[in-house]
Amino acid sequence: MSTGMGSGLWKDWRLHVLVLITVLVTEAIGTYSFTIGPGVVLLLPMLYALIIGLILYFTPIVKERQSKNAEPIIVLGVALLLAKIGVIIGPSLPQLIEAGPALLLQELGNLGTILLALPVAVWLGLKRESIGMTHSVAREPNVGLIMDKYGISSAEGQGVMAVYIFGTVFGAVFMGLISGFLATVTPLHPLSFAMASGIGSGSMMAAASGSLIEAFPDLENQIVAFAGASNLLSLSTGLYISIFIGLPLTEKLYSVMTRNQKG
C-alpha cells in the first residue's frame, strides 16, 4: 500500500506543477521589507508561499488528492533542512557549548503560553478546552500527550487540535514577521532570537531564522546553528517539560481561576 501511495505522490503532476509555479512566483517577488518605527518587518518568499498555498487550497484547482499527497513532501523538506542544520552545527559547537545553560533554560520559556494565554482563554469563557490550548505551543508531541491523557474527543483534545491547526497555518507567518521585527527594534542579541525560534516546529524555526538571517547576514551560520540546536532541544525535552511542569501547572491554574464559576 505504501508503495502505491508513494508512486501516486510522484505521479501527481498537478501537485508538482502548482508547487513549481508557487516557488517561481515567490522567488520572483523576493524579499520585501518595511519599517515600523525603529524596527524592520521582513516579508520572505516562504510567507508568500504559505499564503498562496492557503488560497489555492480553497479553490477548485486543488483537489483532496493534492492536499493528501502534499503532507509527506513536508517531511522531505524538513529533512533537508535538518541535514543542513546538522552540517552547520558542527563548526559552531564551541559557541553552542558556551551558551549551554541558556539553550537548556530557554525551554522554560514555552511555559509563557500558560501564564499569558490561560487567563485570556478563561476570560473569553472557554472551559477545559483552554487546558489543551494553552499548556504548550501545541506541536506534535503535545498533541500526543493530550490525546493520551484525555482522548481525542475530549474538550482538552479539541482545544489542543484547534491550536495545532492554527499554528500550522499561521505560526510560520507570525514567527517570520515577529522575529525580524523584534531583533531590529530591541537591544537583545540576534542569537537570543535564534534560540527563541526553536520551539519544536521546523517550519516556524525556518521562518524565524530566515528573517533573522535577512536582517543579520553576517551571522547566518551562528543563527542557523543556534536555532537548530534550540529546536532539537525543544523536540527532545519539550514533552517532558509539558508532562511534569506544563500540564500540571495548567490544570492547577485553571482550577484556581474557575473556582468561583463552579456550582
Side-chain angles (χ1 to χ4, degrees):
M1 181 180 292
S2 60
T3 303
M5 290 178 62
S7 156
L9 187 156
W10 297 116
K11 292 180 180 179
D12 190 350
W13 62 268
R14 183 193 293 265
L15 173 62
H16 299 302
V17 169
L18 289 173
V19 171
L20 177 60
I21 293 175
T22 300
V23 170
L24 292 176
V25 170
T26 55
E27 290 297 328
I29 297 173
T31 301
Y32 180 75
S33 63
F34 60 91
T35 58
I36 299 180
V40 178
V41 174
L42 298 166
L43 304 180
L44 303 176
M46 183 177 180
L47 171 61
Y48 314 144
L50 286 168
I51 295 175
I52 292 173
L54 182 62
I55 293 173
L56 288 174
Y57 179 78
F58 292 103
T59 67
I61 300 175
V62 176
K63 309 293 185 183
E64 183 179 357
R65 178 187 176 190
Q66 279 74 55
S67 61
K68 291 292 184 183
N69 285 340
E71 293 177 4
I73 296 180
I74 297 175
V75 178
L76 293 177
V78 173
L80 293 174
L81 174 65
L82 293 176
K84 177 184 177 182
I85 290 171
V87 172
I88 293 176
I89 284 178
S92 303
L93 275 178
Q95 292 174 297
L96 294 174
I97 293 173
E98 185 178 347
L103 277 173
L104 291 173
L105 292 174
Q106 62 88 29
E107 181 59 38
L108 294 175
N110 288 340
L111 298 178
T113 59
I114 304 168
L115 303 177
L116 295 176
L118 182 60
V120 175
V122 173
W123 177 71
L124 290 174
L126 293 170
K127 301 301 182 183
R128 292 193 64 85
E129 296 90 347
S130 60
I131 294 176
M133 297 175 76
T134 64
H135 84 284
S136 69
V137 291
R139 302 325 298 157
E140 287 83 355
N142 308 107
V143 172
L145 171 62
I146 294 297
M147 297 305 177
D148 181 66
K149 186 172 178 63
Y150 301 101
I152 190 171
S153 301
S154 64
E156 295 85 353
Q158 294 171 5
V160 74
M161 283 306 301
V163 175
Y164 175 78
I165 294 171
F166 188 88
T168 299
V169 177
F170 299 105
V173 177
F174 174 79
M175 292 290 287
L177 293 175
I178 199 68
S179 62
F181 176 73
L182 291 179
T184 54
V185 78
T186 65
L188 297 176
H189 197 280
L191 293 183
S192 65
F193 290 99
M195 284 191 283
S197 68
I199 62 172
S201 167
S203 60
M204 294 186 198
M205 182 207 68
S209 57
S211 293
L212 293 173
I213 291 169
E214 191 70 27
F216 306 95
D218 53 318
L219 296 175
E220 177 176 359
N221 286 345
Q222 293 96 315
I223 289 172
V224 173
F226 274 81
S230 173
N231 204 57
L232 181 61
L233 283 172
S234 292
L235 284 171
S236 58
T237 64
L239 180 58
Y240 299 102
I241 294 291
S242 295
I243 292 173
F244 296 111
I245 301 178
L247 193 53
L249 178 60
T250 307
E251 285 272 14
K252 181 63 177 177
L253 290 177
Y254 176 81
S255 65
V256 171
M257 292 178 185
T258 60
R259 183 168 47 200
N260 295 330
Q261 300 176 13
K262 296 178 180 179

